[in-house]
Structure formats: structure tokens, C-alpha cells
């Protein structure tokens, strides 16, 4: 199940609703977060470990 996290630009609040529960303004979908290099290497290392075991 995909989570569609949205954000109110006015309140800087994350919500799943179409409208902000605080100010009622329409929320906007958040852009996918970029993976940091550290996280990518962490994943890579974990994958390697799984294969070797
Ligand atoms: Zn708001």
C-alpha cells in the first residue's frame, strides 16, 4: 500500500488528507526525498551481507 503523504505549505504540516486539518488549505504532494549517499551505501552493504550468508 502506497502512502501518499501530503504537506500544507502554510503550516509546514504533513498529512494524508486533501486539506490541511489546521488551516483548511489544499495540501500538496511531497516530492520524493533524495537518498543520501550514506543511505545508499548502507543499503548496498546490507544487500551484500544477505547474499554472502
Ligand atoms: Zn495548513
Amino acid at each position: 500500500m502506497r502512502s501518499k503523504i501530503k504537506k500544507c505549505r502554510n503550516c509546514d504540516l504533513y498529512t494524508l488528507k486533501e486539506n490541511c486539518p489546521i488551516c483548511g488549505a489544499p495540501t500538496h504532494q511531497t516530492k520524493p526525498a533524495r537518498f543520501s549517499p550514506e543511505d545508499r551505501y548502507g543499503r548496498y552493504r546490507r544487500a551484500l551481507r544477505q547474499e554472502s550468508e
Side-chain angles (χ1 to χ4, degrees), residues 4-42:
K4 293 179 179 177
I5 299 176
K6 298 184 173 189
K7 185 183 182 185
C8 173
R9 289 174 181 171
N10 294 334
C11 310
D12 210 32
L13 177 91
Y14 290 93
T15 180
L16 294 175
K17 300 188 176 184
E18 296 289 327
N19 291 83
C20 174
I22 295 176
C23 70
T27 53
H28 302 268
Q29 271 197 323
T30 56
K31 293 176 183 175
R34 289 181 187 175
F35 290 107
S36 69
E38 281 183 330
D39 182 57
R40 193 164 51 188
Y41 283 120

